[in-house]
Amino acid sequence: MSEFTNVAEIFGSNVFNDAVMQERLPKKVYKELKKTIEEGKELDLATADVIAHEMKEWAIEKGATHYTHWFQPLTGVTAEKHDSFISAPDKNGKVLMSFSGKELIKGEPDASSFPSGGLRATFEARGYTAWDCTSPAFVRQDAAGATLCIPTAFCSYTGEALDQKTPLLRSMEAINTEALRLLRLFGNTTSRRVTPSVGPEQEYFLVDKAKYLQRKDLIYTGRTLFGAMPPKGQELDDHYFGNIRQRIAAFMKEVNEELWKLGVTAKTQHNEVAPAQHELAPIYAECNVAVDHNQIVMKTLKMVACRHGLQCLLHEKPFAGVNGSGKHNNWSITTDDGINLLDPGTTPHENIQFLLVLACILKAVDTHVDLLRESAADVGNDHRLGANEAPPAIISVFLGEQLEDVVEQLISTGEATHSLKGGKLETGVKTLPDLTKDATDRNRTSPFAFTGNKFEFRMVGSKDSIAAPNIVLNTIVAEAFAEASDVLEKAEDFDLAVHDLIKKYLTEHQRIVFNGNGYSDAWVEEAERRGLPNIKSMVDAIPALTTDKAIGLFEKFHVFTKAELESRAEIQYETYAKAINIEAKAMIDIASKQIIPAVIKYTKSLADTVNSVTAAGAEASVQSELLAETSGLLSDTKVALQKLMDLDKKSEEVPEGTELAHYFHEEIVPAMAELRAPVDALEMIVDKEMWPMPSYGDLMFEV
């Protein structure tokens, strides 16, 4: 038995949180820092020096020797440069441990070495990281020792955002400003701040590390490029919520302990639908903290997996034929005094403030459906969305029976007079209690679902930062709030005006509401009739970033400039082309050096067997048929391989950017599928001892 974990004792023990600051900082300094955190007041250098000194002393007590400005460039992962606390030795050769306010507040990484989409040339190297004091610093303990990690934003020398955090913080300011405007109209004078809260559910796969290292496709691309389905997949539904294997349970226990130390509220863990697939979900946190925490979660999953002889796969579709992994982004809006603007109460038809907020969100999603889809666009997500395992690539909103009924009343009669009630659910077993039944069911096929007091955006890819979808959500809802406030602030009769505005928004944007089966072909046809876009691929989603509508939206709320949006679109196109190019080259390498040689050995073995059996005077029809079938598939493999090689070579002549991304999507991706088909068929024939890599069955069931 493992030793007992005292969660309350270890939680947040490696975080420079509010309790630590109150204990260690002088009262005046603490108050100044809280003003900066809560009101955005500028922090003077003298105050920063005191904070930096205490932060350093605290970190050293935790064993830290280095500090880093921990930031999120547009690479999809975090970045960090480690500097030790030591200063130049004195005349006696002794070093002092120092850390100044200037070092805390500002860092200077090389901006030219990160994706900038043309904002920075290679020779224009200067960039800055700036301390985000709203997200607490923490000490990370790993093989490198202990490092003080300081969450920061990252911008260029000329001020453009080169990261995920800067526009996220801007979007949070936008929704705060516009939500407060709306609340004041309803007579709320006490709430001082409105913050989006987020709880991301993280899905992932675990495979044996030794088997992983035998799969070059997993190493190079994060997903299997070849692989035949094993006899059993997920069809028995026995893995979902099933008993957690002891090896995996030990891994999960250590993950939880590491996360709790870092103040991450790891709450729920369970087996997911596919074999070897699992999920971890935290409690809600403020949006920017939740984004940081999710990056910590992904790094921790990978780090702890290595300690247990495992490999964590965060790709959206590591295995064909079974469910892929996503990241459900649960989003709500709350005030500093505890009011959830998405709480309908027990009688939502009477909750006018909630109904206006709901109508504004429907308006926002319908108006900017293309932007919301783009925010979840990812190379790996192209394999997952719309595949009867994840939401379709069509954005719609699920409200549930209760709210849909209220909406229909408002649209058809102009007023809502009642709300559906939940009632009791009788189990029919006397020894079991009757259950309180919710007023509405859930819909797992919806990409954007209302689930009681929040919206759950289910499109986000498992390895992606949740910053992009939350930037979009915050900004589009801020716009809808602003437009509603513009109308209501001028109204002579507020009650009548808000009633009319709710009905207007619900009527104009009713098309976005869909409570049915999002996996069905009928919905695809219905969505087309409604005029809802079906954006199936990343390359088709990217243009949404640079439409006049998107530029106007983001510039109005100072979230992105036109140049920043254009740079991000360029980075997206470049990312897509590079990712598919790596996959194509990996397929070529594996097929040429591993699969074809292995199949040739097998055909030789078959041929030798045919000759030996025939020479012995026996019939070798089975062996001959296998030889013919294998040789035919080998020939198909060689033809498909040559085609992929030729197309990949031709890509060098295609101009970079939009054109190259479309070339890879329309030419290379289909050619990769053509190569995979005969190879997967060969795997079902060739002697397992001769097949050059672990099978799907080995990877998913031998963990």
Side-chain angles (χ1 to χ4, degrees):
M1 287 287 291
S2 59
E3 61 185 55
F4 169 73
T5 301
N6 189 327
V7 181
E9 185 177 297
I10 68 171
F11 187 83
S13 58
N14 286 348
V15 183
F16 196 72
N17 54 28
D18 192 72
V20 175
M21 290 190 292
Q22 281 196 66
E23 179 185 332
R24 303 189 73 114
L25 297 177
K27 284 184 179 180
K28 183 181 177 183
V29 172
Y30 172 75
K31 286 180 179 178
E32 289 297 316
L33 179 56
K34 290 298 285 185
K35 279 185 180 178
T36 300
I37 294 170
E38 293 172 2
E39 301 172 22
K41 296 282 180 69
E42 190 171 339
L43 200 66
D44 65 83
L45 196 56
T47 302
D49 278 334
V50 176
I51 297 167
H53 174 75
E54 291 302 327
M55 191 181 288
K56 176 208 69 179
E57 292 297 305
W58 170 82
I60 290 172
E61 289 171 15
K62 299 288 180 184
T65 55
H66 290 69
Y67 71 92
T68 181
H69 275 202
W70 184 75
F71 59 102
Q72 299 171 39
L74 301 176
T75 55
V77 294
T78 57
E80 52 197 64
K81 178 188 72 169
H82 296 191
D83 289 299
S84 71
F85 289 120
I86 65 168
S87 58
D90 62 18
K91 61 183 180 181
N92 296 318
K94 292 185 177 181
V95 296
L96 295 174
M97 305 290 269
S98 66
F99 183 50
S100 69
K102 184 179 178 182
E103 290 170 317
L104 168 63
I105 290 172
K106 189 179 83 171
E108 191 177 321
D110 183 346
S112 67
S113 300
F114 293 100
S116 70
L119 287 176
R120 304 292 288 159
T122 303
F123 65 90
E124 297 173 320
R126 195 181 296 276
Y128 297 113
T129 50
W131 177 35
D132 172 21
C133 59
T134 63
S135 184
F138 57 93
V139 168
R140 187 182 66 221
Q141 295 166 328
D142 54 24
T147 305
L148 172 64
C149 298
I150 303 160
T152 52
F154 178 43
C155 64
S156 72
Y157 178 69
T158 47
E160 294 96 351
L162 297 176
D163 67 341
Q164 303 279 17
K165 182 179 281 283
T166 303
L168 179 70
L169 293 172
R170 293 171 181 169
S171 74
M172 290 174 68
E173 282 301 315
I175 197 169
N176 171 57
T177 300
E178 301 306 331
L180 283 176
R181 275 181 74 192
L182 209 62
L183 287 176
R184 297 294 181 254
L185 288 168
F186 282 92
N188 181 329
T189 58
T190 55
S191 298
R192 295 182 304 154
R193 188 161 187 82
V194 179
T195 308
S197 297
V198 175
E201 303 167 24
Q202 179 70 55
E203 294 176 342
Y204 60 96
F205 280 82
L206 289 172
V207 297
D208 185 82
K209 182 80 171 184
K211 293 181 174 67
Y212 164 85
L213 291 172
Q214 297 175 59
R215 296 281 314 211
K216 296 297 183 185
D217 47 3
L218 283 176
I219 293 171
Y220 293 140
T221 73
R223 76 179 183 101
T224 54
L225 301 171
F226 301 104
M229 278 297 294
K232 179 187 176 185
Q234 63 188 45
E235 55 270 48
L236 292 180
D237 300 322
D238 56 344
H239 192 257
Y240 188 60
F241 277 32
N243 187 47
I244 298 172
R245 299 177 189 176
Q246 289 300 290
R247 185 182 185 187
I248 305 304
F251 158 82
M252 288 180 171
K253 178 179 183 294
E254 188 172 347
V255 166
N256 285 330
E257 290 170 350
E258 293 288 346
L259 292 176
W260 290 332
K261 289 176 189 175
L262 296 173
V264 179
T265 53
K267 174 74 172 175
T268 303
Q269 61 192 30
H270 61 83
N271 289 346
E272 257 299 335
V273 173
Q277 188 185 31
H278 312 278
E279 181 181 292
L280 183 152
I283 300 172
Y284 284 72
E286 288 193 6
C287 191
N288 65 313
V289 175
V291 169
D292 288 353
H293 280 182
N294 185 245
Q295 292 291 339
I296 292 171
V297 165
M298 290 190 286
K299 179 163 181 80
T300 303
L301 288 171
K302 285 182 167 289
M303 178 181 71
V304 175
C306 288
R307 297 176 187 167
H308 289 258
L310 299 165
Q311 182 69 30
C312 176
L313 306 178
L314 292 173
H315 193 283
E316 288 76 17
K317 194 73 171 177
F319 302 103
V322 296
N323 281 12
S325 294
K327 184 145 42 190
H328 294 182
N329 187 86
N330 295 281
W331 180 88
S332 64
I333 327 167
T334 55
T335 67
D336 58 328
D337 49 356
I339 302 169
N340 182 351
L341 302 190
L342 289 177
D343 185 357
T346 55
T347 54
H349 68 286
E350 297 175 337
N351 191 338
I352 303 303
Q353 180 180 291
F354 166 76
L355 289 175
L356 180 59
V357 169
L358 178 67
C360 285
I361 291 173
L362 293 180
K363 177 181 186 290
V365 173
D366 189 27
T367 303
H368 297 288
V369 67
D370 55 341
L371 264 182
L372 196 55
R373 168 65 182 90
E374 194 284 330
S375 73
D378 175 79
V379 185
N381 235 5
D382 280 3
H383 299 282
R384 172 178 164 264
L385 295 179
N388 284 359
E389 63 184 68
I394 306 162
I395 297 276
S396 65
V397 179
F398 170 79
L399 294 180
E401 293 87 346
Q402 185 186 55
L403 289 185
E404 187 176 41
D405 177 62
V406 172
V407 168
E408 287 175 355
Q409 289 178 62
L410 287 165
I411 292 172
S412 60
T413 68
E415 61 179 335
T417 59
H418 63 273
S419 299
L420 298 178
K421 301 295 182 183
K424 293 275 188 179
L425 181 66
E426 296 182 5
T427 61
V429 181
K430 291 180 179 179
T431 55
L432 295 177
D434 291 338
L435 304 175
T436 302
K437 183 178 178 182
D438 291 316
T440 188
D441 202 349
R442 298 187 69 183
N443 187 333
R444 66 182 298 272
T445 71
S446 174
F448 196 75
F450 185 75
T451 55
N453 59 4
K454 60 184 170 60
F455 276 99
E456 186 175 3
F457 185 38
R458 295 168 172 159
M459 271 190 171
V460 186
S462 53
K463 73 173 181 294
D464 281 352
S465 166
I466 57 170
N470 286 297
I471 291 167
V472 171
L473 276 172
N474 295 344
T475 311
I476 64 177
V477 173
E479 180 190 54
F481 285 172
E483 291 175 356
S485 296
D486 289 343
V487 172
L488 296 174
E489 284 168 351
K490 299 171 186 174
E492 294 181 7
D493 185 333
F494 175 78
D495 291 339
L496 180 61
V498 74
H499 174 276
D500 290 345
L501 193 61
I502 291 170
K503 182 180 178 182
K504 179 177 185 288
Y505 283 178
L506 294 179
T507 303
E508 291 177 352
H509 302 286
Q510 189 180 14
R511 69 167 188 163
I512 200 70
V513 177
F514 178 66
N515 281 359
N517 182 6
Y519 292 168
S520 69
D521 293 335
W523 166 235
V524 176
E525 296 171 6
E526 171 64 21
E528 187 175 357
R529 282 194 294 272
R530 294 188 187 190
L532 295 173
N534 186 1
I535 305 171
K536 297 181 180 179
S537 72
M538 178 179 174
V539 292
D540 294 328
I542 296 170
L545 281 173
T546 52
T547 62
D548 291 342
K549 181 179 67 172
I551 292 168
L553 166 77
F554 286 121
E555 286 195 331
K556 177 181 178 180
F557 293 98
H558 310 290
V559 174
F560 288 118
T561 64
K562 181 180 179 182
E564 287 171 337
L565 287 168
E566 289 173 343
S567 75
R568 281 165 198 255
E570 185 177 322
I571 290 168
Q572 291 278 64
Y573 284 124
E574 187 178 286
T575 298
Y576 184 89
K578 287 179 176 179
I580 299 299
N581 191 31
I582 290 168
E583 288 188 355
K585 289 185 182 301
M587 285 193 93
I588 291 167
D589 186 75
I590 294 165
S592 301
K593 297 177 181 177
Q594 291 183 275
I595 292 169
I596 288 179
V599 177
I600 288 172
K601 286 180 182 177
Y602 180 64
T603 55
K604 182 181 183 303
S605 173
L606 279 174
D608 290 345
T609 302
V610 170
N611 290 334
S612 298
V613 172
T614 305
E619 184 182 357
S621 59
V622 173
Q623 297 91 324
S624 297
E625 287 174 10
L626 278 173
L627 179 58
E629 185 179 2
T630 305
S631 297
L633 288 169
L634 179 60
S635 177
D636 293 343
T637 300
K638 184 64 178 75
V639 169
L641 173 61
Q642 189 61 54
K643 179 180 177 180
L644 181 58
M645 292 170 66
D646 293 343
L647 288 170
D648 191 56
K649 180 69 177 173
K650 188 179 175 182
S651 71
E652 297 171 7
E653 304 166 12
V654 181
E656 292 184 355
T658 310
E659 195 172 336
L660 185 59
H662 276 279
Y663 177 83
F664 275 102
H665 177 59
E666 293 154 18
E667 300 292 338
I668 299 292
V669 170
M672 289 167 61
E674 289 178 25
L675 175 55
R676 176 168 186 159
V679 170
D680 287 357
L682 281 166
E683 186 181 355
M684 300 300 292
I685 298 172
V686 174
D687 186 339
K688 182 172 174 56
E689 296 300 317
M690 293 186 177
W691 196 250
M693 63 191 76
S695 67
Y696 270 25
D698 298 334
L699 289 164
M700 290 192 288
F701 290 99
E702 297 180 11
V703 186

